[in-house]
């Protein structure tokens, strides 16, 4: 029990930590809505906003690899939202974003833990490139799980809660799609 108390006391040991945790809760509230939307554009726009908030949150709590990766994610989210347009539909974009993710992890290396958000983000890159929302959610699920682990290790209370809810949100979206498909099968 003392270890848990010590852990949480350390999370609130300085003003940057406190500010980071508060900003994280703002992002957490927003992220509740990401994967519940039916429309792909709304999912991606919500993800863009959540990533922007996350940059400040992670930087303030000292999770620099995660913060740097999220800077690259803003570009990724913008291109993903427009991938039906010619300039954003090239097959090289996912490789560019995975390269940015790997580079971001290397320049902010904090040990092997930097590999966790890097791998999670590479999965997110692949998922956000899917036009099929069911495939998007299936590929995003392990990526979010890796970010959940990173949030726990980094001391991000809101990130931990947010990623738990994101996993739940993905399951809700998948269940809704599954039920919709079943209704169509029954109707035919």
């Amino acid at each position: 029990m003392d270890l848990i108390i010590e852990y949480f006391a350390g999370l609130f040991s300085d003003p940057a930590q406190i500010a980071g945790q508060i900003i994280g809760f703002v992002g957490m509230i927003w992220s509740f809505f990401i994967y519940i939307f039916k429309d792909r554009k709304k999912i991606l726009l919500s993800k863009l906003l959540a990533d922007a908030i996350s940059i400040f949150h992670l930087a303030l709590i000292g999770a620099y690899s995660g913060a740097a990766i999220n800077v690259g994610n803003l570009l990724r989210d913008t291109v993903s939202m427009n991938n039906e347009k010619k300039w954003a539909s090239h097959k090289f974009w996912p490789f560019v974003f995975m390269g940015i993710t790997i580079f971001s992890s290397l320049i902010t290396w904090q040990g092997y833990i930097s590999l966790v958000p890097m791998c999670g983000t590479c999965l997110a890159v692949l998922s956000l490139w899917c036009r099929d929302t069911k495939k998007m959610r299936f590929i995003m699920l392990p990526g979010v799980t890796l970010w959940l682990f990173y949030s726990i290790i980094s001391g991000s209370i809101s990130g931990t809660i947010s990623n738990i809810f994101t996993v739940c949100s993905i399951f809700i979206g998948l269940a809704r799609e599954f039920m919709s498909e079943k209704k169509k099968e029954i109707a035919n």
Side-chain angles (χ1 to χ4, degrees):
M1 186 65 166
D2 289 339
L3 184 62
I4 294 170
I5 293 169
E6 236 178 87
Y7 174 77
F8 282 105
L11 295 179
F12 299 102
S13 60
D14 70 80
Q17 278 286 330
I18 295 168
Q21 296 294 346
I22 291 169
I23 290 169
F25 277 100
V26 171
M28 179 190 76
I29 291 166
W30 183 255
S31 72
F32 289 159
F33 301 103
I34 294 174
Y35 295 100
I36 293 177
F37 290 119
K38 290 181 182 181
D39 180 65
R40 181 178 180 279
K41 282 267 193 199
K42 288 180 183 174
I43 291 171
L44 294 172
L45 187 59
S46 295
K47 180 81 174 103
L48 177 94
L49 181 59
D51 285 341
I53 295 168
S54 188
I55 292 167
F56 297 104
H57 162 64
L58 292 169
L60 286 168
I61 67 167
Y64 302 115
S65 291
I69 287 170
N70 275 305
V71 171
N73 289 351
L74 296 179
L75 176 62
R76 177 202 69 202
D77 295 344
T78 302
V79 173
S80 294
M81 281 190 306
N82 293 290
N83 75 355
E84 72 280 350
K85 296 177 182 168
K86 188 175 180 176
W87 67 270
S89 65
H90 295 286
K91 302 283 186 214
F92 68 83
W93 280 113
F95 300 104
V96 168
F97 299 134
M98 285 190 265
I100 291 169
T101 298
I102 293 166
F103 179 73
S104 297
S105 294
L106 293 176
I107 63 169
T108 59
W109 187 256
Q110 294 179 294
Y112 290 112
I113 192 64
S114 295
L115 297 174
V116 176
M118 181 189 80
C119 292
T121 299
C122 285
L123 287 169
V125 166
L126 294 174
S127 77
L128 294 174
W129 210 253
C130 292
R131 292 177 193 258
D132 179 331
T133 56
K134 185 174 15 176
K135 286 180 185 174
M136 176 191 280
R137 289 178 177 109
F138 269 119
I139 297 169
M140 184 64 80
L141 189 58
V144 172
T145 304
L146 287 168
W147 272 95
L148 171 60
F149 178 70
Y150 183 70
S151 295
I152 293 167
I153 297 300
S154 299
S156 172
I157 298 168
S158 61
T160 300
I161 295 168
S162 176
N163 284 306
I164 289 169
F165 276 101
T166 300
V167 168
C168 293
S169 177
I170 291 171
F171 279 121
I172 289 168
L174 287 169
R176 190 179 61 220
E177 284 194 48
F178 178 75
M179 290 187 305
S180 176
E181 288 173 4
K182 287 297 177 190
K183 283 181 185 178
K184 287 178 185 176
E185 284 178 19
I186 293 170
N188 291 333

